[in-house]
Amino acid sequence: MSVPHGPAGVGEARRRLRQDLRTRGASDAIIDDAVLILSELLSNSCRHARPLEDEQVRASWGQDQDGEVTIAVTDGGGPTRPRLGMPSVTARGGRGLTIIRSLARDWGVLEGDPSGAVTVWAVLPSVPPPASRG
């Protein structure tokens, strides 16, 4: 789905992902983790990257037959590429990819599109990591 490059797009995508995964019968723990990952990816895109040519960013997701959920966000790229940070205890940000890494089985960055578009993706396992189970 395409959403506006900004906070309104984050909320819209979160609602759609939650609804879609609930319809597919995903557990609440998987849904919550997937929504958190999508929020982090979209927020990072809004904060650090340009929109695509249509002033939008693309959010996509899918659930495979084993229940793993793959989430991806594509934007127009920025001056830097996503990387894990080591923020200080008092830092106001910089923890998003660390959160994603703790929840996801894998994550990465795809680039090389002639338009400059960059996709950041994460794969959420069908059973959430022990720390995220409630």
Side-chain angles (χ1 to χ4, degrees):
M1 72 180 283
S2 289
V3 296
H5 184 257
V10 176
E12 181 181 342
R14 286 171 50 116
R15 284 187 294 278
R16 295 240 340 241
L17 174 60
R18 185 175 296 282
Q19 178 183 9
D20 183 47
L21 291 178
R22 187 165 282 132
T23 299
R24 294 172 188 248
S27 71
D28 287 342
I30 294 293
I31 293 170
D32 290 345
D33 288 354
V35 167
L36 179 56
I37 288 171
L38 179 63
S39 295
E40 290 295 337
L41 292 177
L42 283 169
S43 294
N44 284 348
S45 173
C46 294
R47 195 171 297 117
H48 302 292
R50 297 177 299 274
L52 296 166
E53 290 180 5
D54 57 2
E55 297 301 313
Q56 305 273 308
V57 294
R58 283 191 307 272
S60 62
W61 56 83
Q63 188 173 26
D64 70 13
Q65 62 198 25
D66 296 326
E68 287 194 336
V69 178
T70 300
I71 301 160
V73 170
T74 303
D75 56 42
T80 61
R81 293 299 176 252
R83 62 179 174 80
L84 289 172
M86 298 298 288
S88 71
V89 174
T90 58
R92 297 177 60 94
R95 293 173 183 82
L97 289 176
T98 302
I99 292 168
I100 290 169
R101 184 180 72 175
S102 72
L103 297 174
R105 177 179 59 74
D106 198 10
W107 74 277
V109 180
L110 299 173
E111 51 187 319
D113 186 296
S115 71
V118 173
T119 299
V120 183
W121 56 270
V123 178
L124 184 62
S126 58
V127 176
S132 68
R133 292 184 202 155

